[in-house]
Amino acid sequence: MYLVGDAVHTHSPKIGLGMNMSIQDGFNLGWKLALAVKEMASPSILDTYKSERHQLAKMLLEFDQKWAAFFLKQKKKQQQLGLEAPPEANPEDIQAMQDVFSENELFAEGHVSFY
């Protein structure tokens, strides 16, 4: 069995990374299946899918941990202060968020691939 993209929902839905992963995973698995079915490549080519996907899935989870931490921090502040909505983020948190996003921008946009 092969799982592609957001099939197992192992990360939060922030910034639509599930769609990007699904497109990359589907393409990676699709061309391999097509060549194996047409007997233009050995079926063993399918064995490479897991190792190739693993690195991208790892990157996704690492990015999500960093990205989700900002939202969790705001939620915690909201609960501590008894507010109905999260408080405004301070400039340091905003800058840290921008830094994390900038460092991972190509990945978040679906431009990083190991295939």
Side-chain angles (χ1 to χ4, degrees):
M1 174 179 13
Y2 296 96
L3 296 175
V4 296
D6 201 22
V8 292
H9 301 282
T10 58
H11 59 89
S12 66
K14 292 162 189 67
I15 69 173
L17 291 175
M19 181 187 73
N20 292 341
M21 293 296 292
S22 294
I23 291 168
Q24 290 183 28
D25 287 351
F27 178 78
N28 184 22
L29 187 57
W31 73 263
K32 291 174 182 181
L33 281 169
L35 291 179
V37 167
K38 292 180 179 183
E39 298 181 349
M40 297 173 70
S42 168
S44 65
I45 195 170
L46 298 172
D47 296 338
T48 63
Y49 175 76
K50 181 179 177 182
S51 63
E52 292 167 346
R53 184 180 195 285
H54 179 80
Q55 183 60 33
L56 287 172
K58 182 179 176 205
M59 288 174 67
L60 173 63
L61 293 174
E62 288 171 355
F63 171 78
D64 189 59
Q65 273 187 320
K66 292 176 191 173
W67 195 246
F70 296 112
F71 297 94
L72 293 171
K73 184 177 181 181
Q74 288 302 100
K75 185 70 174 173
K76 188 175 182 179
K77 282 183 190 177
Q78 176 186 350
Q79 291 171 341
Q80 288 173 341
L81 298 173
L83 302 173
E84 288 189 31
E88 294 271 333
N90 65 46
E92 294 83 19
D93 287 343
I94 292 170
Q95 184 61 53
M97 248 179 126
Q98 289 172 340
D99 292 345
V100 167
F101 188 80
S102 292
E103 291 167 9
N104 294 279
E105 187 172 7
L106 291 177
F107 175 71
E109 292 174 354
H111 295 292
V112 173
S113 178
F114 292 97
Y115 308 139

